[in-house]
Amino acid sequence: MSYERPYYKNLNYHPLLFYVIFGVRDEELQVSREKHHVDSFPDGLDFIFYNAEDNNEYMQSLLGGKLGEILDREKHNLYEKIKNTDKWAIIRGEVQQDDNLNYMRNTIGFVQALLERNAIGVLDLQTFSLYSAEEWTDKFFRQEFNPYNHVTILSSEMEDGSTWLHTRGMRKFGRPDISIEKVEVSKTEDAVQVINQMIYYGNLGAFFDKDIKLHTNNGKTYIVNPNFVNDYENPDFNNAYYQIFWSQCKCQN
């Protein structure tokens, strides 16, 4: 498939990736252009090996605290296994060339090559998602590239009983995450479709700096006003984000 970004704007807002691969082996990594679809290691990323003897404090800090609670709750058995590994590889940093998505293809290929050397799991720290080696291979390597696999839509109940929907992971595309508050239960599916369309166009490089018109699968049209919030320190996103104001449009599609 094409990894082009036809709506790309150079915002000097670089994609940030952070993957931890657990249980790597002490041997030379074999990466194949043909097998792993890799042509280079993305400029701006670091590829670092850690071992428990020299880096135990840092390794334990990554798996502790609130993140550890989340991983333990969602993937208890795998979490217990990765905690017992003593050799990790970490791929992290800000990608410098992002006018296409080759950096994602190459990063996926390097992670896959590590997994084929008997690593047991991968943590995506941008989405707080933990995958077994088999899950990663099936979801990211064997399938065509799918931006929705790289972004998580989270749901939280607000004080008035409505729902807050927001994403994590858009920073992997160098684009803001998406937040819609006070979503009525009857509008939840429409809101998810609006978010998914913004994920799709964001992965293709779009930056939303004015009102846009988006259509749902059931024939509705929404006017979306994306208010850009330039706050990279918000722990809900670890990224800047759009605060979305939306309303259904009665106009002709």
Side-chain angles (χ1 to χ4, degrees):
M1 67 163 287
S2 172
Y3 284 84
E4 300 304 313
R5 306 186 80 184
Y7 304 108
Y8 176 79
K9 295 180 181 179
N10 185 2
L11 307 172
N12 195 32
Y13 176 6
H14 299 294
L16 179 67
L17 305 182
F18 200 136
Y19 294 103
V20 185
I21 302 92
F22 301 97
V24 298
R25 292 168 58 178
D26 287 330
E27 57 185 61
E28 184 177 354
L29 183 64
Q30 301 295 323
V31 182
S32 164
R33 178 189 294 263
E34 180 178 357
K35 182 178 181 181
H36 300 113
H37 317 301
V38 166
D39 53 32
S40 65
F41 188 72
D43 185 27
L45 296 186
D46 296 319
F47 195 151
I48 310 170
F49 289 92
Y50 290 88
N51 66 78
E53 182 177 353
D54 298 322
N55 313 109
N56 184 63
E57 183 176 354
Y58 174 70
M59 293 166 71
Q60 293 303 316
S61 70
L62 279 182
L63 290 182
K66 187 66 174 179
L67 176 59
E69 294 176 11
I70 293 171
L71 299 180
D72 189 26
R73 181 173 64 248
E74 296 184 352
K75 292 283 188 72
H76 174 73
N77 291 338
L78 181 57
Y79 179 66
E80 289 298 317
K81 290 179 181 178
I82 65 171
K83 284 200 306 181
N84 292 323
T85 58
D86 59 0
K87 293 183 175 64
W88 299 358
I90 292 182
I91 298 176
R92 68 184 182 198
E94 289 191 348
V95 175
Q96 297 303 299
Q97 182 179 353
D98 64 340
D99 57 341
N100 58 55
L101 292 173
N102 291 344
Y103 69 90
M104 290 296 296
R105 184 199 67 221
N106 286 324
T107 302
I108 290 169
F110 272 94
V111 172
Q112 181 63 27
L114 287 163
L115 293 175
E116 291 172 2
R117 294 290 181 177
N118 290 337
I120 66 170
V122 181
L123 173 62
D124 178 356
L125 268 170
Q126 292 289 54
T127 59
F128 296 160
S129 300
L130 179 62
Y131 305 96
S132 68
E134 296 78 11
E135 288 171 332
W136 170 275
T137 299
D138 290 340
K139 187 169 186 175
F140 299 105
F141 185 70
R142 289 184 181 144
Q143 293 187 30
E144 290 287 325
F145 180 80
N146 181 346
Y148 307 116
N149 286 343
H150 295 269
V151 182
T152 298
I153 300 177
L154 301 170
S155 174
S156 304
E157 184 176 351
M158 303 189 73
E159 290 183 359
D160 63 0
S162 63
T163 300
W164 173 36
L165 297 174
H166 67 98
T167 64
R168 280 191 67 98
M170 287 300 295
R171 198 166 182 181
K172 288 186 277 185
F173 300 115
R175 291 298 180 261
D177 274 288
I178 303 152
S179 174
I180 306 181
E181 297 183 1
K182 297 186 179 299
V183 178
E184 300 173 14
V185 173
S186 62
K187 298 288 187 181
T188 301
E189 180 56 34
D190 288 351
V192 169
Q193 288 192 45
V194 165
I195 290 172
N196 277 333
Q197 288 190 59
M198 294 184 72
I199 291 171
Y200 175 76
Y201 287 109
N203 119 89
L204 295 179
F207 178 77
F208 301 105
D209 54 5
K210 58 184 178 182
D211 288 2
I212 53 175
K213 186 185 293 185
L214 295 174
H215 309 290
T216 64
N217 293 336
N218 56 7
K220 297 178 185 177
T221 299
Y222 284 92
I223 301 298
V224 176
N225 171 248
N227 178 36
F228 176 63
V229 181
N230 190 20
D231 177 11
Y232 292 84
E233 303 304 318
N234 188 320
D236 289 321
F237 303 98
N238 188 35
N239 189 13
Y241 61 96
Y242 300 114
Q243 185 179 19
I244 299 300
F245 302 94
W246 64 318
S247 60
Q248 190 170 352
C249 177
K250 304 302 182 181
C251 52
Q252 296 288 331
N253 290 346

